[in-house]
Amino acid sequence: MSTSAASHLSPSYPDRAAWGTAPKLRAWQQEAFDLYSRREPRDFLAVATPGAGKTTFALRIVSDLLSRGIIRAVTIVTPTEHLKQQWADAAARVGIAIDPEFKNSQGATSRDYAGVAVTYAQISMHPALHRARTEARKTLVIFDEIHHAGDAKSWGDGVREAFEPAARRLALTGTPFRSDVNPIPFVTYMEDGEGIRRSVSDYSYGYGPALADGVVRPVIFLAYAGEMRWRTRAGDEIAATLGTPLTKDQLGQAWKAALDPKGDWIRQVLHAADRRLTEVRRVVPDAGALVIATDHETARAYAKHIRAITGEGATVVLSDDPEASKKIKQFSASHDRWLVAVRMVSEGVDIPRLAVGVYATSTSTPLFFAQAVGRFVRARKRGETASVFLPSVPTLMGLAGEMEAERDHVLDRSLPEEGLDDFLLEDAQRAKDNPDVLGDELPFETLEAVATFDRVLFDGGEFGTAAEPGSPEEEDFLGLPGLLEPDQVRTLLSKRQSDQLKAQRNRPEPKEPQLAPHELIANLRKELNGLVGAWNHRTGQPHGVIHAELRRACGGPAIAQATAEQVQERIDKIRQWATQRSRQ
């Protein structure tokens, strides 16, 4: 089932809470809850775009089932430690006590709690314990981001063993697609018309309907290309232009050079993103920005760039930092401008004030990209827009242009399916202490990395023309108002692109610089000698013979004493010979 709740229900604005609890349900949440209540299913899969409010929906079901005595306990399974705390905080706000610190070694938790929050990894380490807990009391199990149950065989097997006896199971995900063909526990698969099994959700609420309902922000993607130059391990110097057709190896290395904190590309993009943040904060004073970095080393380096640009420090969250959850919580409640985090933080960071992002990682899986962009789409009031800066890389451009695509988990196909390399997600979510290595020639030394504004992507369309950083053309897009409805965004983008194209057409053509006489003659002689060389390869005639024939045909002195006009005449003559010969 996939529906836009706006077609017949109010989205319940502004009665909502950013972290997942609200006195009134949004339209899609109420619709999904009513469907759940009518069916009273043992298993239910709800697919809702990041930022739509899956937590609120799930906790409403928990409250209802507990109040009616259908369940006596709840177990919430999450992919990360930080998400355990977020769920416990959200549940506490509606009067449900959840223990986020439960350890397998405890065996049981305090009677003060209605349930526990655990990770998929925790379940896989002792599934028998959690099965016993599930059997002891009628339990509702909530699987947050259920696709993680397919990350590894031990995780899937552990989840199946631990929660097979559960009274109720509620699976949630914003991104239900994976590239592997391992079935996810407690998810229903049905064959399509071609005999291919696809996952089936009980309720689906995608980004497109959520955008139409005003539940999520529209996302403006600002793509940056640029000139890259690097030295390989073999000592060769290579240059490439990001944003132009490149081989797979060239693209990987140019992308790596762009993200290198020693180059100017990332510094220029961070500077542009900060200017965009300043514009957004004119109407959203607490708006914040997030850089998703590849590893710890680059995260710290990016933070230094941000301090140099803004004069303010950035909050740095690293995957192995025991204070990570605390830092995220503090940043969420503050008015600080910038947060820098390793890429694993893309799933699990719930900071509604994030409005500007920099995608500074080499991970390009659809699953990871969707999760990363999901950090910026959570709306708090109508008109807020999200701006995500990213390298002009074909894979990312494609993903940005397909924001509204809804995918299912497909079992019956060969591996790997190009573009759905989500097996990399497990690596993306791990702690990253060292930079990635891409390609046989890496590591390499970045010699030069310069950014250029490429274009803007929005709602499947492309806007803008290539421009230098700091140019009026770039500023046209960095200065977009911070509060715009989706249709206003498209209208304004179209107008600004039209204005730029009109200005380019009206701009006078630059005049060729006037050459000094000696420069002109030197250039003409060089051109003539090149043509003589080509004619030599074509006919086998010696260079001297060719020059002599040209002199006889055109007249005039030897080449050393010929005027510019005489040399040009000989150039025209040899081109005429070439044309006549090609017709024979």
Side-chain angles (χ1 to χ4, degrees), residues 41 70 93 96 199 302 307 388 400 422 512 564:
I70 294 177
R93 284 190 284 274
I96 302 172
S199 61
Y302 293 164
R307 177 176 286 278
V388 177
D422 301 320
E512 290 291 331

Side-chain angles (χ1 to χ4, degrees), residues 36 55 58-66 70-77 87-88 91-92 94-100 102 109-110 112-118 123 130 133-134 136-144 163 166-170 172:
Y36 185 89
T55 303
L59 291 175
R60 180 67 181 87
I61 289 177
V62 174
S63 297
D64 177 67
L65 296 182
L66 284 173
I70 294 177
I71 62 167
R72 302 293 301 277
V74 59
T75 297
I76 301 168
V77 190
W87 270 93
V94 292
I96 302 172
I98 297 295
D99 180 7
F102 177 80
T109 189
S110 168
D112 291 337
Y113 293 111
V116 300
V118 294
I123 298 300
H130 295 279
R133 293 188 67 258
T134 302
R137 293 194 293 174
K138 292 187 295 183
T139 300
L140 165 68
V141 183
I142 298 174
F143 299 108
D144 188 18
F163 301 119
R168 296 284 182 93
R169 291 181 290 256
L170 174 61
L172 308 171

Side-chain angles (χ1 to χ4, degrees), residues 459-508:
D459 192 25
E462 297 185 1
F463 306 87
T465 56
E468 295 300 316
S471 66
E473 290 82 3
E474 181 197 41
E475 201 61 43
D476 278 346
F477 296 101
L478 297 182
L480 288 170
L483 288 179
L484 288 173
E485 292 292 329
D487 58 336
Q488 294 174 320
V489 174
R490 174 171 277 280
T491 299
L492 191 52
L493 288 173
S494 298
K495 183 180 184 305
R496 297 205 168 175
Q497 175 172 270
S498 177
D499 291 344
Q500 288 183 356
L501 294 175
K502 182 178 179 181
Q504 287 181 357
R505 288 194 298 268
N506 295 336
R507 190 177 300 143

